[in-house]
Amino acid sequence: MKNIYSNIFKVNNRNISKAINCLKKKGLIGIPTETVYGLAGNAYSSKAIRKIYYLKKRPFRNPLIIHYYNLEQLKKDAVLNNNFFELYKKFSPGPITFVLRRKKKSQLSNIATAKLKTVAVRFPKNITIRKILKSLDFPLAIPSANKSTHISPVSADDVNQEFKNSLKIIIDGGSCKIGLESTVVDLTSSPKILRPGSIGPEAISRALKKKITINHNSRVVKAPGMLKRHYSPGIPLKLNQKKAKDSEAFIVFGKKYKKGKNIFNLSYKSNVNEAAKNLYKILRLIKNKKYKTICVCSIPKIGIGLAINDRLNRAAK
Ligand code: TXA
Ligand code: MG
């Protein structure tokens, strides 16, 4: 059964089969993951991958994350190492992406990996996407389901807002549990965090029993998600503000801020996880309400707060 939008389908066996058939025919689907909604296509088919780049208007030099069901599948495409096994054991399936060396014999579309010798891989935890991955004999390339530089979607409606009728199947798995994209860790040499996420540097260091560096502004841009203007609401955004004018949207954190029409609270309880879950939802809401400026109070840099600050900094550029 469809709901009010003709391209949004609830999770049931019939709709999952429909999504699987579409992927087998090299089509694309919108799909929930625990981080953000993704736009999925067959990672072994350049035809499917080209569709992803065109639909997202994504530059071809920005590679995609390849999503797998299990290690057996991954072994065909990437060279695994000890750091990988340690982190995989601890955090997968889950919101973490590993950059590994790509195997020469891999069948992955060269377009999906932007002709690099490396590949970014992830094992998502969301049960619907795992069900789909399990029934396919190819992995899925899944970038976030938004137009390039826009805010990532955290609900099926958000995906529909981005692509309208040019995407025929969006599976509605409710709102995303985490709400921010996965942590990206480069494991091709000494481990580095390329994109902060809900799994933080302390947890990764502990699992690896060594210090991990965070790539703040390397000259070699390893993850274009780290490029200047990204995750952008397309509205000027001012950081670390103590107050805002009535005409400005004010994003706040904690109960010390008063309520108001233009006040958007990420978490009354001052909980950074709740704030992460609300961030993209609130940014999209503010954009839809046509505010011309966004002010944001300072957000603590603890836990996933580090990733929230990372995304806000990029949105402000
Ligand atoms: O949580 C997530 O990771 C979501 C969900 C849908 O799984 N996906 C996601 O994909 O955020 P995307 O395409 O929006 O972001 C992928 C990031 C980009 O910053 C890209 O540059 C980086 O991963 N990336 C991909 N392949 C890479 C590689 N070989 N080396 C370094 N960075 C890579
Ligand atoms: Mg993205």
Side-chain angles (χ1 to χ4, degrees):
M1 274 294 281
K2 298 171 181 181
N3 74 7
I4 53 163
Y5 298 111
S6 60
N7 56 350
I8 298 183
F9 296 85
K10 64 180 181 188
V11 176
N12 62 30
N13 288 341
R14 189 160 149 248
N15 290 338
I16 288 182
S17 297
K18 200 176 159 87
I20 290 169
N21 284 333
C22 175
L23 291 165
K24 284 183 178 163
K25 287 188 201 139
K26 304 183 174 151
L28 306 184
I29 61 162
I31 181 83
T33 85
E34 69 278 20
T35 57
V36 298
Y37 270 72
L39 180 65
N42 180 345
Y44 289 161
S45 159
S46 288
K47 187 176 169 192
I49 299 304
R50 264 191 216 101
K51 290 183 191 167
I52 293 183
Y53 280 89
Y54 286 131
L55 201 57
K56 278 182 63 80
K57 297 195 169 67
R58 181 174 176 117
F60 280 103
R61 70 190 168 93
N62 189 357
L64 306 175
I65 298 175
I66 315 300
H67 294 58
Y68 291 85
Y69 180 70
N70 63 19
L71 276 183
E72 247 9 83
Q73 240 187 353
L74 174 66
K75 277 181 192 155
K76 298 179 197 154
D77 296 328
V79 181
L80 311 185
N81 58 43
N82 287 340
N83 287 333
F84 165 78
F85 285 116
E86 291 303 328
L87 296 180
Y88 173 85
K89 215 166 52 190
K90 183 90 204 211
F91 301 116
S92 294
I96 186 164
T97 295
F98 310 103
V99 176
L100 299 168
R101 285 186 197 289
R102 186 191 148 128
K103 272 198 178 156
K104 286 210 177 72
K105 283 187 180 154
S106 148
Q107 288 181 63
L108 287 170
S109 157
N110 264 312
I111 308 172
T113 53
K115 298 189 178 143
L116 296 173
K117 292 200 165 82
T118 58
V119 56
V121 306
R122 173 160 120 77
F123 301 84
K125 190 167 188 169
N126 174 285
I127 50 166
T128 306
I129 185 144
R130 275 186 66 75
K131 217 174 195 175
I132 292 175
L133 283 167
K134 191 178 179 182
S135 63
L136 297 170
D137 58 2
F138 51 83
L140 293 173
I142 320 185
S144 52
N146 52 279
K147 294 254 168 76
S148 198
T149 78
H150 286 193
I151 303 160
S152 294
V154 290
S155 72
D157 284 354
D158 293 352
V159 181
N160 187 57
Q161 257 183 39
E162 291 289 322
F163 300 122
K164 307 272 166 31
N165 265 335
S166 41
L167 185 60
K168 300 292 179 218
I169 301 179
I170 302 168
I171 299 292
D172 186 354
S175 58
C176 298
K177 246 189 168 151
I178 297 172
L180 283 185
E181 303 84 351
S182 61
T183 307
V184 179
V185 195
D186 181 1
L187 299 176
T188 56
S189 54
S190 65
K192 284 177 215 63
I193 293 182
L194 302 183
R195 178 175 75 181
S198 64
I199 297 176
E202 303 84 5
I204 293 176
S205 287
R206 242 179 283 127
L208 291 176
K209 299 189 184 71
K210 62 181 121 184
K211 214 171 142 53
I212 180 151
T213 53
I214 305 178
N215 242 27
H216 278 297
N217 33 24
S218 79
R219 271 184 293 146
V220 187
V221 178
K222 278 230 162 171
M226 305 189 79
L227 278 177
K228 296 158 292 183
R229 214 169 72 82
H230 217 88
Y231 316 107
S232 166
I235 310 168
L237 192 144
K238 296 188 277 183
L239 302 174
N240 302 316
Q241 301 296 301
K242 293 212 166 68
K243 51 182 195 246
K245 296 181 196 146
D246 286 349
S247 61
E248 297 171 323
F250 193 19
I251 299 181
V252 301
F253 178 84
K255 61 173 178 282
K256 73 173 183 193
Y257 294 91
K258 64 176 193 327
K259 294 192 180 172
K261 224 177 86 188
N262 65 325
I263 316 280
F264 301 85
N265 206 321
L266 291 173
S267 170
Y268 288 105
K269 292 180 282 184
S270 299
N271 177 318
V272 280
N273 294 318
E274 184 180 48
K277 192 174 166 171
N278 284 330
L279 180 67
Y280 288 152
K281 194 167 78 184
I282 285 177
L283 283 173
R284 194 173 282 274
L285 179 70
I286 289 170
K287 186 180 167 74
N288 289 344
K289 285 183 182 281
K290 307 226 179 326
Y291 278 96
K292 299 277 185 291
T293 315
I294 307 176
C295 299
V296 191
C297 75
S298 75
I299 313 285
K301 294 187 178 70
I302 46 164
I304 199 171
L306 206 68
I308 297 175
N309 277 284
D310 169 76
R311 304 307 191 272
L312 285 172
N313 277 316
R314 284 170 219 297
K317 292 256 163 73

